mmCIF file of all heavy atoms in Angstrom:
data_model
loop_
_atom_site.group_PDB
_atom_site.id
_atom_site.type_symbol
_atom_site.label_atom_id
_atom_site.label_comp_id
_atom_site.label_asym_id
_atom_site.label_seq_id
_atom_site.Cartn_x
_atom_site.Cartn_y
_atom_site.Cartn_z
ATOM 1 N N ALA A 1 71.612 74.131 8.414
ATOM 2 C CA ALA A 1 71.023 75.415 8.038
ATOM 3 C C ALA A 1 70.183 75.253 6.788
ATOM 4 O O ALA A 1 69.167 75.902 6.617
ATOM 5 C CB ALA A 1 72.097 76.448 7.817
ATOM 6 N N GLY A 2 70.542 74.339 5.876
ATOM 7 C CA GLY A 2 69.782 74.106 4.645
ATOM 8 C C GLY A 2 68.541 73.280 4.890
ATOM 9 O O GLY A 2 67.592 73.328 4.129
ATOM 10 N N GLY A 3 68.487 72.490 5.953
ATOM 11 C CA GLY A 3 67.333 71.633 6.246
ATOM 12 C C GLY A 3 66.049 72.418 6.434
ATOM 13 O O GLY A 3 65.050 72.158 5.786
ATOM 14 N N PRO A 4 66.035 73.399 7.317
ATOM 15 C CA PRO A 4 64.805 74.177 7.508
ATOM 16 C C PRO A 4 64.396 74.934 6.246
ATOM 17 O O PRO A 4 63.213 75.078 5.968
ATOM 18 C CB PRO A 4 65.147 75.136 8.640
ATOM 19 C CG PRO A 4 66.263 74.491 9.381
ATOM 20 C CD PRO A 4 67.019 73.697 8.333
ATOM 21 N N ALA A 5 65.350 75.393 5.464
ATOM 22 C CA ALA A 5 65.017 76.117 4.233
ATOM 23 C C ALA A 5 64.333 75.181 3.233
ATOM 24 O O ALA A 5 63.331 75.541 2.609
ATOM 25 C CB ALA A 5 66.269 76.720 3.626
ATOM 26 N N SER A 6 64.855 73.960 3.087
ATOM 27 C CA SER A 6 64.228 73.027 2.146
ATOM 28 C C SER A 6 62.866 72.578 2.667
ATOM 29 O O SER A 6 61.928 72.365 1.893
ATOM 30 C CB SER A 6 65.143 71.833 1.869
ATOM 31 O OG SER A 6 65.268 71.026 3.020
ATOM 32 N N GLU A 7 62.734 72.437 3.992
ATOM 33 C CA GLU A 7 61.427 72.086 4.554
ATOM 34 C C GLU A 7 60.423 73.208 4.310
ATOM 35 O O GLU A 7 59.257 72.958 4.008
ATOM 36 C CB GLU A 7 61.548 71.808 6.053
ATOM 37 C CG GLU A 7 62.238 70.505 6.359
ATOM 38 C CD GLU A 7 62.432 70.286 7.853
ATOM 39 O OE1 GLU A 7 61.892 71.082 8.655
ATOM 40 O OE2 GLU A 7 63.136 69.332 8.202
ATOM 41 N N LEU A 8 60.887 74.450 4.423
ATOM 42 C CA LEU A 8 60.022 75.594 4.171
ATOM 43 C C LEU A 8 59.585 75.614 2.710
ATOM 44 O O LEU A 8 58.413 75.852 2.395
ATOM 45 C CB LEU A 8 60.740 76.892 4.555
ATOM 46 C CG LEU A 8 59.931 78.180 4.361
ATOM 47 C CD1 LEU A 8 58.687 78.151 5.255
ATOM 48 C CD2 LEU A 8 60.787 79.398 4.688
ATOM 49 N N ILE A 9 60.517 75.344 1.811
ATOM 50 C CA ILE A 9 60.182 75.296 0.379
ATOM 51 C C ILE A 9 59.183 74.181 0.095
ATOM 52 O O ILE A 9 58.192 74.369 -0.618
ATOM 53 C CB ILE A 9 61.460 75.144 -0.467
ATOM 54 C CG1 ILE A 9 62.290 76.426 -0.396
ATOM 55 C CG2 ILE A 9 61.122 74.815 -1.915
ATOM 56 C CD1 ILE A 9 63.665 76.316 -1.017
ATOM 57 N N MET A 10 59.427 73.017 0.684
ATOM 58 C CA MET A 10 58.497 71.890 0.488
ATOM 59 C C MET A 10 57.121 72.227 1.045
ATOM 60 O O MET A 10 56.092 71.877 0.452
ATOM 61 C CB MET A 10 59.056 70.620 1.148
ATOM 62 C CG MET A 10 60.304 70.086 0.479
ATOM 63 S SD MET A 10 60.029 69.655 -1.238
ATOM 64 C CE MET A 10 59.144 68.144 -1.037
ATOM 65 N N PHE A 11 57.084 72.903 2.185
ATOM 66 C CA PHE A 11 55.801 73.292 2.779
ATOM 67 C C PHE A 11 55.060 74.268 1.859
ATOM 68 O O PHE A 11 53.864 74.134 1.617
ATOM 69 C CB PHE A 11 56.032 73.926 4.155
ATOM 70 C CG PHE A 11 54.773 74.436 4.791
ATOM 71 C CD1 PHE A 11 53.836 73.557 5.316
ATOM 72 C CD2 PHE A 11 54.501 75.804 4.844
ATOM 73 C CE1 PHE A 11 52.664 74.010 5.885
ATOM 74 C CE2 PHE A 11 53.338 76.268 5.403
ATOM 75 C CZ PHE A 11 52.408 75.374 5.929
ATOM 76 N N ILE A 12 55.768 75.234 1.321
ATOM 77 C CA ILE A 12 55.145 76.215 0.409
ATOM 78 C C ILE A 12 54.623 75.515 -0.841
ATOM 79 O O ILE A 12 53.508 75.768 -1.297
ATOM 80 C CB ILE A 12 56.154 77.340 0.062
ATOM 81 C CG1 ILE A 12 56.429 78.185 1.310
ATOM 82 C CG2 ILE A 12 55.637 78.195 -1.077
ATOM 83 C CD1 ILE A 12 57.549 79.192 1.154
ATOM 84 N N VAL A 13 55.401 74.591 -1.391
ATOM 85 C CA VAL A 13 54.966 73.835 -2.568
ATOM 86 C C VAL A 13 53.718 73.018 -2.239
ATOM 87 O O VAL A 13 52.764 72.969 -3.009
ATOM 88 C CB VAL A 13 56.112 72.936 -3.094
ATOM 89 C CG1 VAL A 13 55.612 71.954 -4.137
ATOM 90 C CG2 VAL A 13 57.237 73.791 -3.678
ATOM 91 N N ALA A 14 53.715 72.372 -1.075
ATOM 92 C CA ALA A 14 52.554 71.576 -0.662
ATOM 93 C C ALA A 14 51.322 72.450 -0.514
ATOM 94 O O ALA A 14 50.207 72.066 -0.920
ATOM 95 C CB ALA A 14 52.860 70.837 0.640
ATOM 96 N N VAL A 15 51.488 73.649 0.065
ATOM 97 C CA VAL A 15 50.351 74.570 0.215
ATOM 98 C C VAL A 15 49.841 75.012 -1.155
ATOM 99 O O VAL A 15 48.630 75.088 -1.386
ATOM 100 C CB VAL A 15 50.737 75.779 1.100
ATOM 101 C CG1 VAL A 15 49.686 76.872 1.037
ATOM 102 C CG2 VAL A 15 50.962 75.330 2.535
ATOM 103 N N ILE A 16 50.718 75.297 -2.087
ATOM 104 C CA ILE A 16 50.320 75.715 -3.441
ATOM 105 C C ILE A 16 49.564 74.582 -4.134
ATOM 106 O O ILE A 16 48.513 74.803 -4.750
ATOM 107 C CB ILE A 16 51.548 76.164 -4.270
ATOM 108 C CG1 ILE A 16 52.093 77.481 -3.715
ATOM 109 C CG2 ILE A 16 51.195 76.299 -5.740
ATOM 110 C CD1 ILE A 16 53.420 77.922 -4.320
ATOM 111 N N ILE A 17 50.091 73.368 -4.031
ATOM 112 C CA ILE A 17 49.417 72.211 -4.657
ATOM 113 C C ILE A 17 48.056 71.986 -4.014
ATOM 114 O O ILE A 17 47.057 71.777 -4.709
ATOM 115 C CB ILE A 17 50.307 70.957 -4.568
ATOM 116 C CG1 ILE A 17 51.526 71.112 -5.490
ATOM 117 C CG2 ILE A 17 49.505 69.709 -4.944
ATOM 118 C CD1 ILE A 17 52.558 70.010 -5.342
ATOM 119 N N ALA A 18 47.984 72.050 -2.705
ATOM 120 C CA ALA A 18 46.707 71.858 -2.011
ATOM 121 C C ALA A 18 45.705 72.938 -2.414
ATOM 122 O O ALA A 18 44.518 72.673 -2.622
ATOM 123 C CB ALA A 18 46.915 71.861 -0.501
ATOM 124 N N GLY A 19 46.178 74.183 -2.532
ATOM 125 C CA GLY A 19 45.302 75.275 -2.973
ATOM 126 C C GLY A 19 44.793 75.044 -4.384
ATOM 127 O O GLY A 19 43.626 75.298 -4.691
ATOM 128 N N SER A 20 45.672 74.560 -5.264
ATOM 129 C CA SER A 20 45.260 74.272 -6.649
ATOM 130 C C SER A 20 44.224 73.162 -6.695
ATOM 131 O O SER A 20 43.224 73.256 -7.411
ATOM 132 C CB SER A 20 46.467 73.874 -7.491
ATOM 133 O OG SER A 20 47.395 74.920 -7.544
ATOM 134 N N VAL A 21 44.450 72.108 -5.930
ATOM 135 C CA VAL A 21 43.494 70.996 -5.886
ATOM 136 C C VAL A 21 42.158 71.473 -5.323
ATOM 137 O O VAL A 21 41.081 71.163 -5.847
ATOM 138 C CB VAL A 21 44.067 69.812 -5.070
ATOM 139 C CG1 VAL A 21 43.004 68.772 -4.786
ATOM 140 C CG2 VAL A 21 45.242 69.183 -5.803
ATOM 141 N N ALA A 22 42.203 72.263 -4.252
ATOM 142 C CA ALA A 22 40.967 72.777 -3.647
ATOM 143 C C ALA A 22 40.218 73.663 -4.644
ATOM 144 O O ALA A 22 38.996 73.596 -4.753
ATOM 145 C CB ALA A 22 41.297 73.549 -2.368
ATOM 146 N N GLY A 23 40.943 74.492 -5.380
ATOM 147 C CA GLY A 23 40.307 75.348 -6.388
ATOM 148 C C GLY A 23 39.651 74.532 -7.495
ATOM 149 O O GLY A 23 38.534 74.817 -7.916
ATOM 150 N N ALA A 24 40.358 73.499 -7.952
ATOM 151 C CA ALA A 24 39.801 72.632 -9.000
ATOM 152 C C ALA A 24 38.557 71.910 -8.495
ATOM 153 O O ALA A 24 37.548 71.810 -9.201
ATOM 154 C CB ALA A 24 40.855 71.632 -9.470
ATOM 155 N N LEU A 25 38.610 71.392 -7.252
ATOM 156 C CA LEU A 25 37.446 70.715 -6.679
ATOM 157 C C LEU A 25 36.266 71.681 -6.521
ATOM 158 O O LEU A 25 35.119 71.316 -6.770
ATOM 159 C CB LEU A 25 37.803 70.073 -5.344
ATOM 160 C CG LEU A 25 38.676 68.820 -5.418
ATOM 161 C CD1 LEU A 25 39.057 68.364 -4.012
ATOM 162 C CD2 LEU A 25 37.961 67.704 -6.161
ATOM 163 N N ALA A 26 36.540 72.908 -6.116
ATOM 164 C CA ALA A 26 35.476 73.907 -5.973
ATOM 165 C C ALA A 26 34.830 74.192 -7.333
ATOM 166 O O ALA A 26 33.608 74.284 -7.441
ATOM 167 C CB ALA A 26 36.033 75.184 -5.350
ATOM 168 N N TYR A 27 35.656 74.325 -8.371
ATOM 169 C CA TYR A 27 35.132 74.573 -9.717
ATOM 170 C C TYR A 27 34.265 73.407 -10.193
ATOM 171 O O TYR A 27 33.163 73.602 -10.695
ATOM 172 C CB TYR A 27 36.279 74.814 -10.703
ATOM 173 C CG TYR A 27 35.812 74.931 -12.125
ATOM 174 C CD1 TYR A 27 35.237 76.100 -12.582
ATOM 175 C CD2 TYR A 27 35.926 73.850 -13.009
ATOM 176 C CE1 TYR A 27 34.776 76.210 -13.886
ATOM 177 C CE2 TYR A 27 35.465 73.944 -14.302
ATOM 178 C CZ TYR A 27 34.894 75.124 -14.741
ATOM 179 O OH TYR A 27 34.445 75.210 -16.033
ATOM 180 N N VAL A 28 34.753 72.180 -10.019
ATOM 181 C CA VAL A 28 34.008 70.992 -10.448
ATOM 182 C C VAL A 28 32.703 70.875 -9.669
ATOM 183 O O VAL A 28 31.648 70.587 -10.240
ATOM 184 C CB VAL A 28 34.878 69.720 -10.290
ATOM 185 C CG1 VAL A 28 34.048 68.462 -10.453
ATOM 186 C CG2 VAL A 28 36.019 69.734 -11.291
ATOM 187 N N THR A 29 32.751 71.126 -8.367
ATOM 188 C CA THR A 29 31.545 71.046 -7.540
ATOM 189 C C THR A 29 30.521 72.087 -7.973
ATOM 190 O O THR A 29 29.336 71.792 -8.090
ATOM 191 C CB THR A 29 31.910 71.233 -6.051
ATOM 192 O OG1 THR A 29 32.866 70.237 -5.686
ATOM 193 C CG2 THR A 29 30.691 71.122 -5.171
ATOM 194 N N THR A 30 30.956 73.305 -8.224
ATOM 195 C CA THR A 30 30.049 74.365 -8.674
ATOM 196 C C THR A 30 29.456 74.015 -10.025
ATOM 197 O O THR A 30 28.246 74.178 -10.251
ATOM 198 C CB THR A 30 30.801 75.711 -8.757
ATOM 199 O OG1 THR A 30 31.335 76.011 -7.473
ATOM 200 C CG2 THR A 30 29.882 76.829 -9.196
ATOM 201 N N ASP A 31 30.276 73.523 -10.940
ATOM 202 C CA ASP A 31 29.799 73.137 -12.264
ATOM 203 C C ASP A 31 28.774 72.009 -12.161
ATOM 204 O O ASP A 31 27.733 72.038 -12.820
ATOM 205 C CB ASP A 31 30.978 72.703 -13.140
ATOM 206 C CG ASP A 31 30.580 72.494 -14.590
ATOM 207 O OD1 ASP A 31 29.850 73.351 -15.125
ATOM 208 O OD2 ASP A 31 30.995 71.473 -15.170
ATOM 209 N N LEU A 32 29.035 71.027 -11.330
ATOM 210 C CA LEU A 32 28.114 69.915 -11.120
ATOM 211 C C LEU A 32 26.792 70.401 -10.514
ATOM 212 O O LEU A 32 25.709 70.000 -10.950
ATOM 213 C CB LEU A 32 28.762 68.860 -10.218
ATOM 214 C CG LEU A 32 27.960 67.595 -9.943
ATOM 215 C CD1 LEU A 32 27.682 66.857 -11.237
ATOM 216 C CD2 LEU A 32 28.705 66.701 -8.974
ATOM 217 N N ALA A 33 26.869 71.289 -9.540
ATOM 218 C CA ALA A 33 25.653 71.820 -8.906
ATOM 219 C C ALA A 33 24.817 72.609 -9.905
ATOM 220 O O ALA A 33 23.587 72.473 -9.946
ATOM 221 C CB ALA A 33 26.028 72.704 -7.721
ATOM 222 N N ASN A 34 25.469 73.416 -10.750
ATOM 223 C CA ASN A 34 24.739 74.177 -11.771
ATOM 224 C C ASN A 34 24.089 73.254 -12.791
ATOM 225 O O ASN A 34 22.964 73.491 -13.226
ATOM 226 C CB ASN A 34 25.665 75.180 -12.461
ATOM 227 C CG ASN A 34 26.023 76.341 -11.563
ATOM 228 O OD1 ASN A 34 25.306 76.654 -10.621
ATOM 229 N ND2 ASN A 34 27.144 76.981 -11.847
ATOM 230 N N SER A 35 24.795 72.198 -13.179
ATOM 231 C CA SER A 35 24.232 71.233 -14.131
ATOM 232 C C SER A 35 23.013 70.531 -13.543
ATOM 233 O O SER A 35 22.008 70.333 -14.220
ATOM 234 C CB SER A 35 25.278 70.193 -14.527
ATOM 235 O OG SER A 35 26.338 70.791 -15.214
ATOM 236 N N MET A 36 23.091 70.165 -12.267
ATOM 237 C CA MET A 36 21.961 69.507 -11.610
ATOM 238 C C MET A 36 20.774 70.465 -11.511
ATOM 239 O O MET A 36 19.622 70.061 -11.705
ATOM 240 C CB MET A 36 22.368 69.011 -10.226
ATOM 241 C CG MET A 36 23.320 67.814 -10.288
ATOM 242 S SD MET A 36 23.973 67.325 -8.684
ATOM 243 C CE MET A 36 22.505 66.928 -7.787
ATOM 244 N N LYS A 37 21.028 71.725 -11.234
ATOM 245 C CA LYS A 37 19.957 72.720 -11.160
ATOM 246 C C LYS A 37 19.279 72.874 -12.518
ATOM 247 O O LYS A 37 18.050 72.874 -12.620
ATOM 248 C CB LYS A 37 20.530 74.058 -10.703
ATOM 249 C CG LYS A 37 19.516 75.168 -10.639
ATOM 250 C CD LYS A 37 20.182 76.485 -10.254
ATOM 251 C CE LYS A 37 19.217 77.617 -10.470
ATOM 252 N NZ LYS A 37 19.869 78.878 -10.693
ATOM 253 N N ASP A 38 20.076 73.002 -13.584
ATOM 254 C CA ASP A 38 19.515 73.135 -14.932
ATOM 255 C C ASP A 38 18.698 71.909 -15.310
ATOM 256 O O ASP A 38 17.604 72.023 -15.870
ATOM 257 C CB ASP A 38 20.631 73.358 -15.962
ATOM 258 C CG ASP A 38 21.324 74.692 -15.789
ATOM 259 O OD1 ASP A 38 20.777 75.573 -15.088
ATOM 260 O OD2 ASP A 38 22.429 74.850 -16.351
ATOM 261 N N ARG A 39 19.221 70.743 -15.004
ATOM 262 C CA ARG A 39 18.517 69.493 -15.316
ATOM 263 C C ARG A 39 17.200 69.402 -14.542
ATOM 264 O O ARG A 39 16.181 68.980 -15.081
ATOM 265 C CB ARG A 39 19.425 68.314 -14.979
ATOM 266 C CG ARG A 39 18.872 66.981 -15.229
ATOM 267 C CD ARG A 39 18.962 66.630 -16.684
ATOM 268 N NE ARG A 39 18.473 65.277 -16.849
ATOM 269 C CZ ARG A 39 18.717 64.546 -17.861
ATOM 270 N NH1 ARG A 39 19.442 65.013 -18.835
ATOM 271 N NH2 ARG A 39 18.235 63.348 -17.944
ATOM 272 N N GLY A 40 17.202 69.828 -13.288
ATOM 273 C CA GLY A 40 15.991 69.838 -12.474
ATOM 274 C C GLY A 40 14.941 70.778 -13.030
ATOM 275 O O GLY A 40 13.748 70.451 -13.069
ATOM 276 N N GLU A 41 15.381 71.961 -13.494
ATOM 277 C CA GLU A 41 14.444 72.917 -14.091
ATOM 278 C C GLU A 41 13.847 72.362 -15.380
ATOM 279 O O GLU A 41 12.656 72.533 -15.644
ATOM 280 C CB GLU A 41 15.144 74.249 -14.351
ATOM 281 C CG GLU A 41 15.445 75.028 -13.093
ATOM 282 C CD GLU A 41 16.291 76.261 -13.340
ATOM 283 O OE1 GLU A 41 16.692 76.512 -14.496
ATOM 284 O OE2 GLU A 41 16.569 76.979 -12.365
ATOM 285 N N MET A 42 14.660 71.681 -16.192
ATOM 286 C CA MET A 42 14.147 71.080 -17.430
ATOM 287 C C MET A 42 13.131 69.983 -17.117
ATOM 288 O O MET A 42 12.097 69.879 -17.775
ATOM 289 C CB MET A 42 15.298 70.516 -18.275
ATOM 290 C CG MET A 42 16.113 71.570 -18.957
ATOM 291 S SD MET A 42 17.562 70.996 -19.907
ATOM 292 C CE MET A 42 17.339 69.294 -20.160
ATOM 293 N N LEU A 43 13.421 69.169 -16.115
ATOM 294 C CA LEU A 43 12.507 68.107 -15.728
ATOM 295 C C LEU A 43 11.202 68.683 -15.194
ATOM 296 O O LEU A 43 10.116 68.214 -15.536
ATOM 297 C CB LEU A 43 13.157 67.197 -14.694
ATOM 298 C CG LEU A 43 12.318 66.020 -14.201
ATOM 299 C CD1 LEU A 43 11.931 65.116 -15.365
ATOM 300 C CD2 LEU A 43 13.074 65.237 -13.150
ATOM 301 N N ALA A 44 11.284 69.726 -14.374
ATOM 302 C CA ALA A 44 10.076 70.367 -13.836
ATOM 303 C C ALA A 44 9.240 70.948 -14.965
ATOM 304 O O ALA A 44 8.006 70.811 -14.974
ATOM 305 C CB ALA A 44 10.456 71.455 -12.837
#
């Protein structure tokens, strides 16, 4: 009876970690894209 509960907890933790990583990657990607845009405008 405890096995499925611990698997559910592990699954929820994995989803939270994956969401955090995805959010961080989205932030870094957006920041990088904005920096490239600014640099391109300065070069132009």
Side-chain angles (χ1 to χ4, degrees):
S6 68
E7 288 176 8
L8 181 62
I9 291 171
M10 293 300 285
F11 176 73
I12 292 172
V13 169
V15 168
I16 291 172
I17 290 173
S20 298
V21 169
L25 287 175
Y27 174 78
V28 168
T29 303
T30 302
D31 189 45
L32 183 61
N34 288 337
S35 296
M36 289 173 60
K37 178 183 168 205
D38 293 344
R39 180 79 177 199
E41 288 173 358
M42 286 177 17
L43 181 59

